[in-house]
Amino acid sequence: MTPPALLHALIHHCRPVIPDGTTILQPGDALTITPSAAWAEFWIDRISTPIARRVASVSIDFNLTINCFGRPPTSSHGVSQLAEQIRLRLCQATLTLSGDHAGGYLKLAEPECRDLSRPATAKAVGLWHWLIAVRGTAPG
Amino acid sequence: MPITRTLRDGELVIKDGANPPLVLTVVLDEGDLSWTSQQKTIEIKDRGSIASGHTRPGEEQSTELSFSAKWTQLLGRSHQPTDPLALYETLMFLSNTGLQSTSQPGEQQTLTLEFTVMDPAGQSHEKITFLKVYRESLTMSEGDKANLIAFSGKSFSPAPTVSRVS
């Protein structure tokens, strides 16, 4: 699967838990953040092919990183809640694939959540930042 | 410069004793097939002296081999006749698989293992055939990335047959 196809499937899976008004961004998207209160950036920042026989079916390992941002009127609690909802949605999820990879599965492991809000920045600009990282496997 | 072979160049296939044989290609194997051929020698020393002594061929030894593979389903054809064979049910000779031993009735149940090593240059592929392979142990384990079957057994022959294939 290509990174855009992976992102499409993963964002589609997370959309039900992302509140209305939260912008979802992919690599290359441009957003003027001034009017935005909350946004989430979805990245596939690593794809690797495990060592395998040449005759074996190809699979890939990947890392999905989601950066959740928020600023007033969104509160720190609001951004951490967004991150938590996405974490629960992704934890050990198995996604059934359609289209080019119909019949295949996208499997996710256990995510890690980190609060990267810097107090000085938060006080000055009011920017909250949570990061969610999860690895997964998908058809090659 | 010669090109060394690696685990990426191998393919392991299991066949039974039917004609034509049932064939299972082990697609999820870990690439850790290992086999050991042993040779026993009887040393006869003349009153402790090697210089005056001699050797005789000892008893023939069968070939030890082992490999491991990831597993998905343990049961395939033994559960549903239209499903493909699964590795576990094949190595365990479960009923309803239709598998036949490569040995005579009454003997231990055995299979044939064919290990093909592809030449990256595409010219000198080799097939290593292990006859009359019987199971000594099968270890099943869980893992973070994959559950594993580990097979350990013997081929009732002093060494595998190695041949070139085109």
Side-chain angles (χ1 to χ4, degrees), chain B residues 131-150:
Chain B
L131 296 174
K132 293 191 175 181
V133 176
Y134 61 88
R135 179 183 88 244
E136 288 197 304
S137 73
L138 202 66
T139 304
M140 317 291 294
S141 58
E142 293 186 285
D144 167 26
K145 292 200 172 175
N147 293 349
L148 290 182
I149 298 179

Side-chain angles (χ1 to χ4, degrees), chain A residues 60-116:
Chain A
I60 55 170
D61 286 344
F62 64 89
N63 276 14
L64 169 68
T65 304
I66 304 164
N67 289 279
C68 300
F69 293 98
R71 53 188 292 147
T74 305
S75 65
S76 162
H77 176 74
V79 178
S80 65
Q81 272 295 98
L82 170 64
E84 178 64 7
Q85 290 301 311
I86 294 176
R87 182 187 74 79
L88 291 172
R89 184 74 177 163
L90 292 175
C91 187
Q92 299 181 342
T94 300
L95 280 60
T96 308
L97 298 172
S98 56
D100 287 346
H101 295 276
Y105 296 93
L106 198 158
K107 292 187 66 174
L108 299 171
E110 294 76 9
E112 182 183 72
C113 256
R114 297 175 63 192
D115 181 1
L116 298 183

Side-chain angles (χ1 to χ4, degrees), chain B residues 8-50:
Chain B
R8 297 159 190 82
D9 303 313
E11 181 185 52
L12 183 61
V13 171
I14 300 175
K15 293 181 175 176
D16 80 335
N19 188 14
L22 291 176
V23 181
L24 169 65
T25 302
V26 188
V27 294
L28 296 176
D29 60 330
E30 291 281 273
D32 59 357
L33 177 71
S34 168
W35 73 89
T36 304
S37 292
Q38 297 180 81
Q39 179 175 267
K40 289 284 188 193
T41 300
I42 302 169
E43 293 181 342
I44 295 127
K45 299 172 193 147
D46 183 359
R47 280 169 284 203
S49 165
I50 283 183

